Amino acid sequence: MEYHVFRSDGQGGLQPVRQVAPTLGAHQLRVAVQAIGLNFRDSYVVRGNRFRAALDARVPFSDAAGVVVAVGSAVTRFKVGQRVITTALPRWLDGPLTAAGLADSMGSRERDGVLAEFIDADDTELLAAPAHLSDSEAATLPVAALTAWHAVVELGVLSAGDTVVVQTTGGVAVFAIQFALALGARVIVVSRSVAKLRLALQLGAAVAIDSTVTPDWEREVLALTGGAGAQLVLDMGLRDSLRQSARAAAFEGTVAVIGVVQEHSNPLDIYTVMNKNLRIRGVETGSHAMLARMCDFMQRHALHPVIDTVIDAAFDDAAAVQAALDRLDAGPFGKVVLRLSSPS
């Protein structure tokens, strides 16, 4: 069996190539990829940035939804025809993150990703797609949704009636708004885009702060909370944001550090952290078990991902994939999705 894949060329481009499918292992599944959700990491994997060189000869992207087309002899958890989604950190099954759990992330220097007609994966590396979601919706879950879920729910610091501050309006941020609202929290969104702030308010955010008008947005958060601050602040790694996030947080509050896309140093105000007894917590995606809990929550609450753009592409159409990356780099409200089909 031959099938199409895209491989990065190390110069910011993608090359469609054909390869022969290997024999499935006893515990492996073969999945026909239907849709791929893009993340900011995918852009620098393919195109590089000032800190990272573009990867060469790797199949990029980590988040896919597809249909099982073949199973190994020992597979019992899945069957042919079942809809599944990938996991971004296939080795992190449950419990605290370890070095082993962080290794072999999909679409990275260590492991090929999902930009292919078919992918093979161990049966522990996949999860049933939520039945109420389309393939395009399900493909957005493994990184952005799970990271937001980890910060908003799995940290266990947010309750109904609490205030959460969400910075920016990308994929993780929009999922965070949705999860916080489902928990009954009050959401304050900070962004430089008036148009996207309007969309955040339509989604249910209580307050939108335009940081171009109010650069000291942490003061506005304090004013809006009667001086108390927010129980949870999601820090997306913007320039100097950690100082502001700490100042916006309540005493005994939590700053969840999510962003890794900043291109500047991000100093922290240690005095504020100590004085308020803050918890500064890094959030690295999440485990297989977290993803399963999140999918169950989304199904029970009938939550649907917010998709900014869906781009249809054949598996030999590199220009369409680059167009999806362009849209991602432009800063969408929510997610960008590739909906894939076999070449004609």
Side-chain angles (χ1 to χ4, degrees):
M1 170 187 172
E2 289 191 347
Y3 63 100
H4 285 84
V5 303
F6 285 98
R7 290 195 178 277
S8 55
D9 63 7
Q11 304 298 318
L14 291 164
Q15 296 295 327
V17 298
R18 293 180 68 88
Q19 67 183 39
V20 177
T23 301
L24 277 180
H27 291 278
Q28 286 189 308
L29 298 85
R30 182 157 295 146
V31 176
V33 175
Q34 305 295 307
I36 293 174
L38 273 62
N39 300 290
F40 285 112
R41 184 188 77 158
D42 299 326
S43 180
Y44 66 69
V45 164
V46 174
R47 297 175 169 178
N49 61 24
R50 57 184 290 195
F51 300 105
R52 303 173 178 90
L55 296 189
D56 188 15
R58 273 298 186 195
V59 177
F61 304 169
S62 60
D63 294 12
V67 178
V68 177
V69 295
V71 297
S73 60
V75 173
T76 58
R77 294 178 57 239
F78 298 97
K79 60 184 179 180
V80 172
Q82 189 168 357
R83 296 171 63 240
V84 294
I85 58 175
T86 56
T87 51
L89 294 176
R91 305 288 177 252
W92 189 9
L93 300 181
D94 200 359
L97 179 61
T98 64
L102 190 61
D104 294 330
S105 62
M106 297 286 283
S108 68
R109 192 174 304 278
E110 293 78 27
R111 176 173 177 162
D112 280 342
V114 300
L115 191 54
E117 279 188 272
F118 299 93
I119 57 171
D120 295 346
D122 292 346
D123 56 1
T124 59
E125 298 177 347
L126 300 171
L127 194 73
H132 74 298
L133 299 183
S134 68
D135 290 333
S136 293
E137 291 173 323
T140 69
L141 302 183
V143 168
L146 182 56
T147 303
W149 171 265
H150 188 171
V152 173
V153 182
E154 294 284 341
L155 294 185
V157 299
L158 196 64
S159 301
D162 286 347
T163 296
V164 56
V165 174
V166 177
Q167 297 172 20
T168 75
T169 52
V172 175
V174 172
F175 275 117
I177 294 170
Q178 291 179 283
F179 291 141
L181 291 173
L183 291 179
R186 179 192 188 209
V187 178
I188 298 173
V189 180
V190 180
S191 172
R192 295 174 296 180
S193 169
V194 173
K196 292 173 187 175
L197 286 171
R198 290 197 191 101
L199 292 173
L201 291 172
Q202 291 173 16
L203 197 60
V207 180
I209 300 175
D210 181 350
S211 58
T212 62
V213 175
T214 309
D216 296 331
W217 54 264
E218 70 278 15
R219 296 183 182 179
E220 184 68 10
V221 170
L222 292 173
L224 290 165
T225 56
Q231 282 73 27
L232 176 64
V233 181
L234 272 65
D235 188 280
M236 296 298 181
L238 305 177
R239 186 175 187 179
D240 292 330
S241 61
L242 275 174
R243 285 176 173 164
Q244 293 179 285
S245 294
R247 292 167 185 170
F251 279 77
E252 302 286 350
T254 298
V255 176
V257 182
I258 292 170
V260 292
V261 297
Q262 76 276 3
E263 295 189 2
H264 303 276
S265 62
N266 201 347
L268 181 62
D269 187 343
I270 298 299
Y271 174 81
T272 303
V273 174
M274 179 195 70
N275 184 250
K276 288 185 173 182
N277 275 0
L278 297 183
R279 178 164 70 156
I280 309 297
R281 181 64 150 77
V283 175
E284 172 55 66
T285 321
S287 67
H288 188 287
M290 289 182 193
L291 184 61
R293 290 192 288 268
M294 184 197 78
C295 288
D296 180 66
F297 181 91
M298 292 185 72
Q299 192 149 331
R300 285 188 285 110
H301 288 266
L303 291 180
H304 288 263
V306 175
I307 296 178
D308 178 278
T309 306
V310 175
I311 292 179
D312 291 306
F315 285 101
D316 59 354
D317 186 358
V321 181
Q322 293 286 5
L325 288 171
D326 289 343
R327 179 59 196 141
L328 183 72
D329 290 343
F333 182 86
K335 295 293 291 180
V336 175
V337 174
L338 276 168
R339 190 164 51 198
L340 298 161
S341 60
S342 298
S344 56

